[in-house]
């Protein structure tokens, strides 16, 4: 799927690069003409983290960066193809690959301040495959530059639309289980008609900022932070309230029902916050989950040398 997504944009960018040989040149440096259109191929390495109902920072669950926990950061990498008009506006197709995780036990040292989040004792991990089509906007290049005046640094904005795949898992007795088929909050059960099964591939909205630097006329590097706004609260398989465990045995095969019952309520025994009964809070459905990346990018720019 990813290869099929990249193919039309790469063909489009190649055509722009070919046409640029006949385009108007708008500034000159010591080796290359600045072209109307440039085509760039590159890759990135960096880190990925998520904001979900699980883990997070000390205290009661907070929104967005207030609940950031550095310990949940995982590596990521990516590939991209970019077509840019006069260094100012770019259209980029990018694939990003990484993973996210969170676990309530990370709050052990702050357990008394978390109002039951630590005692809830839930966790998850998920691989992420993310494809996005986005725009780069470079405000400094909205003006024309004469010879050798173009800046080497260019802050920019990036925004677009993405499509990502995920699959939350949790560990039980040393074995990892996919959580979505277990319907841990009764998704798809007749007893809970308002809870629909969530899809493992969904749309997201990437928004971010970056800084581009021209190492050479043919090599650009970028430092970029991109946040993905999601339309699901089930990135971590946690969103609403606990259900009646008998519902698992009425809707799932016996072997899955037993695992689902253990996965849906993992409260620490003897803790001061004994929840887990039907209707007790398990997550916060008012705030959708999200994830973000911080990446260092390197791209090779195709340019025409002056004759």
């Amino acid at each position: 799927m990813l290869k099929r997504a990249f193919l039309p944009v790469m063909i489009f960018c190649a055509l722009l690069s070919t046409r640029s040989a006949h385009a108007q040149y708008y500034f000159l440096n010591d080796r290359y003409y600045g072209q109307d259109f440039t085509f760039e191929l590159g890759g990135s390495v960096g880190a990925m983290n998520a904001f979900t109902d699980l883990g997070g920072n000390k205290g009661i669950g907070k929104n967005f960066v207030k609940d950031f926990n550095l310990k949940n950061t995982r590596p990521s990498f990516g590939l991209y193809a970019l077509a840019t008009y006069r260094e100012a506006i770019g259209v980029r197709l990018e694939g990003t690959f990484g993973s996210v995780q969170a676990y309530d036990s990370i709050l052990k040292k702050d357990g008394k301040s978390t109002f039951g989040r630590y005692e809830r004792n839930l966790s998850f991990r998920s691989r992420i495959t993310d494809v996005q089509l986005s725009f780069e906007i470079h405000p400094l290049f909205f003006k024309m530059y004469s010879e050798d005046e173009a800046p080497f640094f260019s802050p920019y904005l990036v925004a677009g639309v993405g499509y990502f795949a995920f699959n939350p898992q949790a560990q039980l007795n040393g074995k990892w289980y996919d959580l979505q088929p277990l319907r841990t909050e009764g998704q798809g059960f007749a007893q809970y008609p308002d809870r629909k099964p969530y899809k493992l591939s969904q749309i997201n909205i990437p928004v971010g900022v970056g800084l581009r630097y021209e190492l050479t006329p043919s090599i650009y590097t970028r430092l970029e932070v991109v946040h993905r706004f999601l339309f699901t609260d089930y990135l971590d398989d946690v969103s609403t309230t606990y259900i009646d465990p008998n519902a698992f045995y009425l809707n799932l095969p016996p072997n899955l029902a037993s695992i689902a019952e253990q996965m849906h309520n993992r409260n620490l025994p003897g803790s001061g916050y004994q929840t887990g009964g039907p209707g007790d809070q398990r997550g916060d459905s008012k705030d959708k989950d999200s994830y973000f990346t911080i990446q260092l990018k390197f791209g090779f720019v195709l340019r025409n040398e002056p004759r």
Side-chain angles (χ1 to χ4, degrees), residues 26 51 75 104 109 114 162 169 185 202 245 279 281 291 295 300 306:
Y26 59 96
F51 300 110
D104 289 334
K109 292 183 179 179
T114 63
Q169 298 178 315
E185 293 188 355
Q202 300 191 29
Q281 183 175 1
Y291 64 94
Q295 292 183 304
F300 180 76

Side-chain angles (χ1 to χ4, degrees), residues 6-24:
F6 267 98
L7 184 59
V9 172
M10 292 181 69
I11 293 174
F12 172 71
C13 293
L15 289 174
L16 290 181
S17 180
T18 302
R19 289 183 59 193
S20 67
H22 306 286
Q24 178 184 1

